[in-house]
Amino acid sequence: SQMEEKEERDKLYEFLIDKFQWTKEEIEAKVHTHPDAHTIDSWRPYCDSLFPGAMMCKNLFLKDKKKGGIWLVVAKWSAVIDMKALTKEFGVGSGCLRFGPDDVLEAMLGVKKGSVTPLGLYKSSSAPVTVVLDSEMLSTDDTKLLFHPMRNDHTMVWSAGDFKKFLQISGHSFQLKDFPHDESQ
């Protein structure tokens, strides 16, 4: 519900104020509201107008249905993500890498499908989530990245340097991966 999403977003902001030493005003300056955006295509018009030159990021919450391993893949919007290649790379049995179920997504990141965000990682420092980032996102510490702050009718802009610091503070290391990109999609 909207109320639960607001509570989760407020908890994220409290974490950022406490651990990042950001003020409420600094956080509010990084966030813009817009209509719900469940997909990259529905999100793009808002990002292009509100954050010109910033990088929209897509997020895949994946689970090994047999062994239970969990991955959060965060990539530039144009990344071409080959699930078969990831299955091999992650050492998962053929056909076992799936989108994580709603209950696991909600328990680990505090969000529902359509609102997946790496910002939910602040909730799960002890959880065994393997974070895989598109190397293009971190090409410079000044690269501007766009994520939903726990709800898909808000967008928050982060510098790549601050995002790396966020992962560190929230207890998550990450792996970099070079994804192919198709900007015509």
Side-chain angles (χ1 to χ4, degrees):
S1 77
Q2 288 260 320
M3 195 62 187
E4 288 167 334
E5 288 177 343
K6 182 183 179 329
E7 285 173 20
E8 289 296 343
R9 187 202 61 212
D10 290 346
K11 288 179 196 168
L12 168 66
Y13 292 176
E14 287 168 23
F15 174 86
L16 295 175
I17 289 166
D18 179 45
K19 303 285 191 203
F20 243 76
Q21 310 300 307
W22 280 353
T23 65
K24 193 170 188 320
E25 294 73 28
E26 286 173 310
I27 293 169
E28 287 170 356
K30 295 174 182 291
V31 177
H32 287 274
T33 59
H34 48 74
D36 284 3
H38 295 275
T39 65
I40 287 288
D41 287 338
S42 62
W43 191 29
R44 182 180 294 146
Y46 310 117
C47 293
D48 288 350
S49 65
L50 295 169
F51 307 99
M55 186 183 296
M56 292 186 314
C57 297
K58 60 183 173 185
N59 307 282
L60 282 69
F61 183 75
L62 305 172
K63 185 173 190 287
D64 178 343
K65 72 175 188 180
K66 282 220 169 89
K67 297 181 189 161
I70 294 175
W71 294 265
L72 179 63
V73 177
V74 185
K76 182 179 177 181
W77 69 272
S78 58
V80 177
I81 298 175
D82 178 343
M83 293 291 280
K84 280 188 178 154
L86 287 182
T87 297
K88 275 192 183 131
E89 196 171 314
F90 296 165
V92 175
S94 180
C96 291
L97 190 63
R98 297 268 201 273
F99 288 102
D102 291 346
D103 59 328
V104 177
L105 175 59
E106 217 164 315
M108 292 203 156
L109 299 183
V111 294
K112 294 179 172 39
K113 273 189 186 134
S115 297
V116 177
T117 175
L119 303 181
L121 289 167
Y122 86 93
K123 295 180 67 73
S124 61
S125 60
S126 60
V129 179
T130 302
V131 180
V132 179
L133 302 179
D134 183 347
S135 56
E136 199 151 315
M137 293 169 50
L138 303 181
S139 55
T140 76
D141 276 350
D142 295 329
T143 300
K144 297 288 181 234
L145 307 174
L146 301 177
F147 304 115
H148 292 307
M150 312 304 284
R151 48 189 296 174
N152 64 18
D153 61 352
H154 289 63
T155 294
M156 187 171 194
V157 63
W158 286 71
S159 71
D162 279 346
F163 181 59
K164 286 190 283 192
K165 185 176 161 193
F166 169 81
L167 291 172
Q168 181 185 5
I169 287 172
S170 63
H172 293 277
S173 58
F174 58 87
Q175 302 167 6
L176 285 179
K177 177 161 177 45
D178 292 327
F179 288 100
H181 287 266
D182 176 5
E183 306 232 349
S184 68
Q185 50 179 327

